[in-house]
Amino acid sequence: MSKRSHEAMSGGTIVLFDVDGTLTVPRKKADDEMLTFLQDLRKVATVGIVGGSDLVKIKEQLGENAPTEYDYMFSENGLMAHKAGAEIGKTSFKDFLGEEKLKTFINFVLHYIADLDIPIKRGTFIEFRNGMLNVSPIGRNCSQEERDEFEKYDQEAQVRPKMVSVLQEKFADYGLTFSIGGQISFDVFPKGWDKTYCLRYLEEFKEGGNDHEIFESERTIGHT
């Protein structure tokens, strides 16, 4: 960490960025111009990355050394938290829900997708992450072209919104939030575990912002 970056972390402003659709095209690598901009910004402010994806995917997009190249790295909406490369927090979706409820939920989702009539299906319909589940009706193994086609289809057929509506009703007592994002999937996590979750690690800061709940939070100042 540079001296100027260290000084920025002592207080003042922290700037938080989402990954997909902000720093990168969804699931694509950040270009050199963006990476240079982020490092230049670190000279005058503390920079944090807040992504819904797990750390492996964020490193694919921002670089293998991303956890040490930014002041804070919050993967899975902050449920996995790193500061200057060191882990400072980890929260478990499995521990919150319990094995029996988790199994019941996953079984229902898989049955629902099995009965779903959409143009194509691939593989990896549920991705289990430390702090959430990511559900994809088409399957995360689809190609970029198939992603683009499903996104257009979903805008008309409302596959994801309809599925979320069913799950909200079926599992109303589970205390879950369903967040549709990106092109092909939606996240499932306990209420309150959205991107504002990362702010508990940043109480010394008063400004920042990027991405829906964290954008609207009274603890941040959002910018578009």
Side-chain angles (χ1 to χ4, degrees):
M1 182 183 303
S2 69
K3 179 180 178 181
R4 293 181 69 183
S5 179
H6 177 75
E7 291 171 349
M9 288 187 68
S10 64
T13 300
I14 179 168
V15 186
L16 301 176
F17 291 96
D18 182 40
V19 182
D20 285 333
T22 301
L23 299 181
T24 75
V25 174
R27 292 298 302 125
K28 296 292 187 180
K29 292 183 178 180
D31 59 34
D32 291 341
E33 182 179 1
M34 178 60 74
L35 295 175
T36 299
F37 162 76
L38 291 172
Q39 293 306 314
D40 287 344
L41 182 61
R42 287 188 68 207
K43 298 174 183 177
V44 295
T46 299
V47 174
I49 307 298
V50 189
S53 296
D54 58 32
L55 187 58
V56 171
K57 290 184 176 63
I58 291 177
K59 288 196 291 186
E60 289 174 355
Q61 294 174 269
L62 300 183
E64 185 64 29
N65 296 323
T68 59
E69 290 180 346
Y70 302 98
D71 302 303
Y72 288 91
M73 176 65 69
F74 301 112
S75 53
E76 301 184 37
N77 290 350
L79 303 178
M80 290 287 293
H82 291 79
K83 180 179 180 180
E87 184 180 302
I88 58 173
K90 183 177 181 180
T91 309
S92 170
F93 180 70
K94 181 182 68 174
D95 290 346
F96 170 86
L97 204 57
E99 202 63 63
E100 284 303 311
K101 284 186 174 180
L102 180 60
K103 182 173 65 176
T104 299
F105 182 86
I106 289 175
N107 286 345
F108 183 88
V109 168
L110 290 175
H111 280 294
Y112 184 98
I113 293 175
D115 294 334
L116 198 59
D117 185 16
I118 57 178
I120 62 171
K121 294 179 184 178
R122 293 300 180 251
T124 311
F125 301 104
I126 299 178
E127 185 174 79
F128 184 84
R129 301 173 182 171
N130 184 71
M132 68 178 74
L133 294 180
N134 179 266
V135 179
S136 175
I138 185 178
R140 297 193 62 88
N141 290 353
C142 60
S143 67
Q144 185 61 52
E145 182 180 359
E146 291 165 342
R147 280 173 170 265
D148 296 340
E149 288 301 315
F150 178 81
E151 183 179 28
K152 294 176 185 177
Y153 176 79
D154 191 41
Q155 290 172 357
E156 296 292 331
Q158 296 289 288
V159 176
R160 289 181 293 173
K162 289 177 183 177
M163 186 174 181
V164 164
S165 180
V166 171
L167 294 174
Q168 286 174 326
E169 182 177 354
K170 175 70 175 178
F171 298 99
D173 60 338
Y174 273 31
L176 299 175
T177 293
F178 301 84
S179 180
I180 298 174
Q183 296 178 288
I184 62 168
S185 64
F186 58 89
D187 294 329
V188 184
F189 48 85
K191 291 179 180 177
W193 289 20
D194 53 47
K195 284 189 171 70
T196 60
Y197 193 91
C198 74
L199 298 180
R200 66 189 60 204
Y201 300 107
L202 305 171
E203 291 305 319
E204 69 269 32
F205 294 101
K206 300 185 184 299
E207 297 184 53
N210 208 339
D211 215 44
H212 197 56
E213 295 94 350
I214 199 169
F215 183 92
E216 297 293 339
S217 173
E218 62 183 18
R219 290 172 286 173
T220 66
I221 299 175
H223 299 278
T224 57

